[in-house]
């Protein structure tokens, strides 16, 4: 359980690729806008920025030059923050996703831990907004892990159901993973586990070494269920992620005006139970991510 002064690593999902400015004007498109949003997030307590790249017109990008431009702008603005790249994609080759990791070498890269149905459903429409099969076989996972180890990139293991957490076990046994692991419990995606506080407990209990063991874990809550899930993580001793990729709304139902507003709320929730946001240096130590020179330009 948490105790007074326990640091919590607050991550910011700064953009995503699904929502656009028609849905939320705060979503950044250009490198300069990413940098301004990163500044707001870091000022409110974020120590890790999770990046999906976009082109300046807002369309999703998997190109090296866009990741480089966004990363350079963010680091120029904030000085130091843990840079975390997405590697998840449907219809984008594994080779292309490894290519931008190799060229840019972020501190951390997300690694999805199982194949699954991945969808968004509308009860109002009685239909799916989108649906796809998200391929993340063990072969794919191991290829990513091999590349990340070679490049000195720490994997962030994104788990959308309790069985996804169990997929860590053989990889640990094979010696492909070294503690401390960074494990994300992603909740609220149609096709994954339901977003309930009880399921936070269920999933965190599956973490190798247990929820109070040597590994770091966070909750990523999708859509407006986010806040009760983050609250559950905080009281159980976990870390949290907020940002416009995951949810556009504050707990009172108002749309956020920036990522900073969402991070400020997550920080307030942590402080209300006697925890505090980890500094970037503390987050690096907890996650086993050394500070090093990066050359995004």
């Amino acid at each position: 359980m948490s105790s007074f002064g326990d640091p919590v690593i607050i991550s910011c999902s700064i953009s995503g690729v699904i929502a656009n400015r028609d849905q939320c004007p705060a979503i950044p498109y250009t490198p300069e806008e990413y940098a301004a949003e990163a500044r707001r997030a870091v000022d409110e307590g974020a120590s890790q920025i999770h990046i999906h790249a976009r082109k300046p017109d807002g369309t999703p990008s998997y190109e090296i030059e866009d990741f480089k431009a966004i990363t350079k702008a963010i680091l120029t603005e904030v000085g130091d923050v843990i840079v975390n790249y997405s590697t998840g994609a449907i219809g984008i080759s594994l080779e292309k996703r490894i290519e931008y990791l190799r060229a840019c070498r972020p501190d951390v890269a997300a690694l999805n831990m199982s194949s699954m149905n991945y969808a968004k459903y509308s009860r109002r429409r009685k239909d799916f907004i989108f649906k796809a099969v998200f391929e993340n076989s063990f072969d794919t996972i191991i290829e990513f892990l091999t590349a990340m180890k070679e490049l000195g990139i720490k994997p962030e293991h994104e788990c959308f159901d309790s069985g996804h957490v169990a997929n860590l076990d053989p990889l640990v046994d094979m010696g492909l993973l070294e503690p401390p692991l960074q494990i994300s419990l992603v909740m609220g995606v149609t096709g994954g586990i339901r977003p309930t506080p009880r399921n936070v407990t269920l999933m965190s209990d599956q973490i190798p070494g247990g929820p109070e063991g040597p590994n770091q874990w966070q909750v990523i809550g999708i859509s407006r269920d986010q806040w009760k899930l983050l609250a559950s993580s905080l009281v159980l001793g976990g870390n949290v992620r907020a940002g416009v990729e995951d949810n556009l709304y504050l707990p009172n139902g108002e749309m956020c005006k920036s990522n900073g507003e969402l991070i400020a709320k997550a920080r307030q929730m942590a402080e209300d139970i006697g925890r505090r946001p980890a500094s970037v240096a503390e987050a690096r130590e907890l996650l086993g991510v050394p500070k090093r020179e990066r050359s995004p330009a």
Side-chain angles (χ1 to χ4, degrees):
M1 301 293 287
S2 63
S3 61
F4 185 79
D6 278 350
V8 53
I9 300 168
I10 301 177
S11 299
C12 178
S13 53
I14 198 167
S15 174
V17 294
I18 295 174
N20 58 46
R21 281 197 189 143
D22 291 339
Q23 295 160 284
C24 179
I27 295 173
Y29 285 2
T30 68
E32 295 76 18
E33 290 165 351
Y34 273 84
E37 285 296 292
R39 175 82 274 165
R40 296 180 183 106
V42 169
D43 285 350
E44 294 293 352
S47 52
Q48 180 168 221
I49 303 292
H50 177 68
I51 298 172
H52 288 258
R54 293 186 187 239
K55 296 185 179 300
D57 66 1
T59 57
S61 174
Y62 303 91
E63 302 301 326
I64 291 170
E65 57 266 28
D66 292 310
F67 274 101
K68 280 189 173 182
I70 291 165
T71 304
K72 180 180 180 182
I74 288 173
L75 293 178
T76 298
E77 176 63 34
V78 304
D80 186 32
V81 72
I82 297 173
V83 173
N84 175 324
Y85 282 4
S86 170
T87 64
I90 296 171
I92 305 296
S93 72
L94 175 60
E95 292 74 16
K96 189 171 186 67
R97 289 178 276 163
I98 291 176
E99 187 178 58
Y100 62 71
L101 294 182
R102 190 176 303 280
C104 302
R105 302 201 179 199
D107 296 300
V108 175
L111 179 58
N112 298 287
M113 288 305 298
S114 192
S115 299
M116 60 183 291
N117 286 319
Y118 193 107
K120 184 172 183 180
Y121 180 75
S122 169
R123 293 184 180 275
R124 180 177 59 82
R125 300 182 194 177
K126 304 297 182 187
D127 197 4
F128 291 96
I129 296 170
F130 65 83
K131 59 184 185 296
V133 175
F134 193 23
E135 187 279 319
N136 296 287
S137 65
F138 276 120
D139 287 342
T140 295
I141 292 168
I142 290 170
E143 190 164 348
F144 265 126
L145 281 176
T146 301
M148 290 181 193
K149 187 170 185 179
E150 174 197 338
L151 297 169
I153 298 169
K154 186 81 172 183
E156 175 226 333
H157 305 282
E158 297 204 349
C159 304
F160 294 75
D161 212 332
S162 57
H164 299 193
V165 185
N167 284 348
L168 290 163
D169 295 349
L171 303 175
V172 171
D173 189 64
M174 293 166 69
L176 293 173
L177 298 177
E178 298 178 2
L181 306 182
Q182 182 178 177
I183 302 165
S184 294
L185 311 180
V186 188
M187 310 179 71
V189 172
T190 301
I193 199 165
R194 288 191 176 106
T196 68
R198 286 187 178 88
N199 281 340
V200 175
T201 301
L202 170 69
M203 289 189 74
S204 64
D205 281 345
Q206 309 307 309
I207 290 168
E212 297 179 348
N215 298 310
Q216 292 292 320
W217 60 278
Q218 69 174 352
V219 166
I220 299 173
I222 305 302
S223 196
R224 299 192 198 193
D225 292 312
Q226 176 187 67
W227 300 110
K228 64 185 179 184
L229 303 174
L230 299 196
S232 300
S233 180
L234 287 166
V235 298
L236 291 172
N239 302 308
V240 294
R241 190 178 96 173
V244 296
E245 176 184 356
D246 303 334
N247 167 46
L248 305 175
Y249 296 91
L250 295 164
N252 64 4
E254 292 180 4
M255 181 174 288
C256 71
K257 297 181 177 65
S258 71
N259 278 284
E261 284 194 332
L262 298 169
I263 298 300
K265 179 54 65 175
R267 186 202 71 237
Q268 178 192 338
M269 291 169 66
E271 292 172 344
D272 283 346
I273 62 163
R275 301 185 69 185
R276 60 176 176 80
S279 68
V280 175
E282 286 176 316
R284 287 187 179 280
E285 182 176 359
L286 289 166
L287 295 173
V289 176
K291 184 177 180 181
R292 57 188 172 85
E293 294 297 323
R294 292 183 296 275
S295 301

